[in-house]
Amino acid sequence: MLRFENVIKGYGNKKALNNLNVSFEKGKVYALVGPNGSGKSTMMKIAAGLVKPTKGSCTYDSQNIGAYSKSKIAYMCTEPFYYDYMRISDVEKYYADFFEDFNRDKFRNLLQFMELDASMKVKALSSGMAAKLKISATLAREAEVIMLDEPLNGIDLLGRDQIINAVIKATNPGSTFIISSHLFDELENIVDNVVMVKHGNVVLEGELEDIRAQYGKSISDLYREIYGSNDGLSNEIWGK
């Protein structure tokens, strides 16, 4: 289990996370939902071991984030992280060198599914193709936790279908998927649980069907209420 306990992360006078408490269980697919600046990326970077909390703890299997968790958690960030001189085949070698759980056959199958060629130069890829490459490399790891930060950004409609289908094929009972997005309509059919974050706090979480039944609304409608106004459900959640 990946667990955040009383996590605060500050950047100067701003708190990206403010006493955050949430857990992600094995074998489930989570949508981590919220607008830009809500704290989603900071959460993922802490879990990936790239950023340390100011206060509180983040653990995986009851161990602090570190060498053990990094061998179990795969993270796809929003920023580009390949060198321009690379071809896609170089990306494969790069991942194989750094991650023992990287499956080259799986990576090549994903490339074919995403309609990418190993001879392509990274710097020549469109933003959508580059995103597909990052996703392919991340999904090719045999990780216990896979975190995708805004995987649908900059992707056209058909590309989104490819990515969602790739995620569906990659899921298994032993893996945890955490997918952050503010394009929730495309994710609603593939996730089990929802975690909504606002101002660095979790404001709504639970199983998708339970939330729908409790509020009698789709997650997309709840998103609009929570983030689009200060009335109604938003006030109910914030105790106003």
Side-chain angles (χ1 to χ4, degrees):
M1 178 184 292
L2 176 64
R3 184 189 299 273
F4 294 79
E5 293 184 281
N6 304 313
V7 172
I8 295 173
K9 179 58 184 177
Y11 295 99
N13 295 325
K14 181 182 178 181
K15 288 184 179 178
L17 300 177
N18 190 10
N19 203 39
L20 180 84
N21 289 277
V22 66
S23 297
F24 298 92
E25 299 179 5
K26 290 185 179 180
K28 295 186 177 181
V29 181
Y30 290 83
L32 182 58
V33 180
N36 293 335
S38 58
K40 305 187 304 297
S41 294
T42 301
M43 288 176 62
M44 288 188 167
K45 287 178 179 178
I46 288 174
L50 302 177
V51 172
K52 292 185 177 181
T54 305
K55 292 183 179 179
S57 66
C58 181
T59 58
Y60 182 66
D61 284 349
S62 301
Q63 297 188 39
N64 289 329
I65 297 299
Y68 169 75
S69 64
K70 289 180 180 179
S71 70
K72 305 293 183 180
I73 298 175
Y75 168 55
M76 189 205 81
C77 63
T78 56
E79 301 87 359
F81 54 88
Y82 302 130
Y83 298 107
D84 285 345
Y85 71 82
M86 285 181 165
R87 295 183 183 273
I88 291 179
S89 57
D90 295 317
V91 173
E92 177 183 339
K93 296 174 184 176
Y94 177 86
Y95 266 76
D97 287 342
F98 275 88
F99 302 108
E100 292 183 2
D101 62 359
F102 184 74
N103 186 324
R104 287 190 162 192
D105 289 336
K106 190 175 181 180
F107 178 68
R108 291 167 185 171
N109 289 336
L110 283 163
L111 290 182
Q112 185 176 10
F113 180 75
M114 296 288 193
E115 300 177 354
L116 298 173
D117 191 285
S119 65
M120 291 177 172
K121 288 189 175 181
V122 170
K123 67 178 181 181
L125 299 178
S126 67
S127 59
M129 295 169 73
K132 290 178 185 180
L133 173 59
K134 290 196 299 181
I135 291 165
S136 298
T138 305
L139 293 182
R141 286 188 58 189
E142 305 288 356
E144 294 180 0
V145 178
I146 296 177
M147 303 187 299
L148 304 176
D149 196 357
E150 300 287 358
L152 303 180
N153 274 8
I155 308 293
D156 61 32
L157 185 61
L158 295 178
R160 290 177 189 176
D161 289 342
Q162 283 181 309
I163 289 167
I164 289 171
N165 287 330
V167 170
I168 291 171
K169 290 179 179 180
T171 56
N172 64 73
S175 297
T176 303
F177 273 76
I178 306 171
I179 308 170
S180 80
S181 182
H182 53 266
L183 300 170
F184 186 77
D185 290 347
E186 288 87 348
L187 299 179
E188 194 158 1
N189 292 328
I190 68 169
V191 301
D192 306 304
N193 286 54
V194 178
V195 176
M196 287 192 175
V197 183
K198 184 174 183 178
H199 303 317
N201 279 294
V202 173
V203 294
L204 184 65
E205 65 171 314
E207 292 188 8
L208 181 65
E209 294 304 324
D210 290 346
I211 292 174
R212 284 171 172 164
Q214 179 180 352
Y215 293 102
K217 300 178 181 180
S218 70
I219 301 299
S220 297
D221 287 339
L222 289 173
Y223 183 101
R224 293 183 181 94
E225 291 195 24
I226 291 172
Y227 300 107
S229 72
N230 293 320
D231 302 318
L233 179 63
S234 182
N235 284 346
E236 176 185 333
I237 290 173
W238 285 97
K240 296 180 180 178

